[in-house]
Amino acid sequence: FEVISDQGQSGDEACPYKRRGPPGANKTDSNLPLQKDEQAILAVVPHGIFPFALAFAALPERASQVFGEFQPVVASATALFPFVRTFLGWLGAVDASRDAVDRALSEGARIGLAPGGIAEMFEGYPKPMTNPNDEYAILEARRGFVRMAIKHGVPLVPVYTFGATKMLNRLQLPAIVEKVSNLLRISLCVFFGRFGLPIPFRTKLLYVIGRTLYPPVASENSEEFRQQVDTLHDAFCQELRRIFERHKASYGWEDKHLNII
């Protein structure tokens, strides 16, 4: 895969909140780019039928060179599969439950997650009313990762992965299957790749790392806190659109559009 860093100087253009430096730091010091060993939340979009983008980024050798080592946040259902459970344990994976993520951030962990989650597996073609030439990201109602960023004062790093949705295809099943999957938090999906087998297609992945978004100091007022969440969430979606539009041509996707739903 290939990685492009499009982080600019400090993310100020994308987010109204500025990085908070240590006491006595001047503006230049407090706006230094995020370092690979600093605590952060890497939000990787899209999820894809299988979260290959997040999984490959979390591999220790690659992560340390490009993203900085982080612990991937994974669905609770992955623990049902012994081999997968062992592999994720090796990566230091964090369960996707609110309490587990809250605890990991409280302990200073640098984490990576796919905010669209299992629901994003079922979005896009061949779902009715979707365009096979478009990309889809489920983010409009996904604010939990933004709340965590503000609560713990941890920067958000938007990452878009071109090609993540093209590694496997799926069959369109009745809508009730999607509802049950979301309810049980487990993927009930019929997918296939090369030769009609569950083998991913050979697809180049292009990771684009957007500008770091720094959270404000969390307000103790519930209404102000909600506004802070909305503002940072909007900034995240805007930055994701920016890096998609700016780099889609280099991936050969000039005519594609990103739909945030």
Side-chain angles (χ1 to χ4, degrees), residues 3-11 13-14 157-160 162 207-212 239-248:
V3 179
I4 296 176
S5 178
D6 190 356
Q7 298 188 62
Q9 293 299 314
S10 64
E13 299 88 342
V157 182
V159 181
Y160 197 88
F162 292 88
Y207 292 85
V208 180
I209 305 173
R211 298 185 181 114
T212 301
E239 178 63 2
L240 203 65
R241 287 187 187 279
R242 185 190 72 83
I243 59 178
F244 180 87
E245 293 297 328
R246 183 172 182 179
H247 297 279
K248 67 181 183 180

Side-chain angles (χ1 to χ4, degrees), residues 215-257:
V217 176
S219 172
E220 296 182 0
N221 180 282
S222 59
E223 179 59 25
E224 289 181 359
F225 182 78
R226 185 189 64 78
Q227 292 176 356
Q228 289 178 331
V229 171
D230 289 345
T231 299
L232 188 57
H233 182 270
D234 288 345
F236 178 86
C237 293
Q238 290 173 16
E239 178 63 2
L240 203 65
R241 287 187 187 279
R242 185 190 72 83
I243 59 178
F244 180 87
E245 293 297 328
R246 183 172 182 179
H247 297 279
K248 67 181 183 180
S250 65
Y251 193 73
W253 282 8
E254 295 90 342
D255 298 326
K256 284 187 179 291
H257 301 282

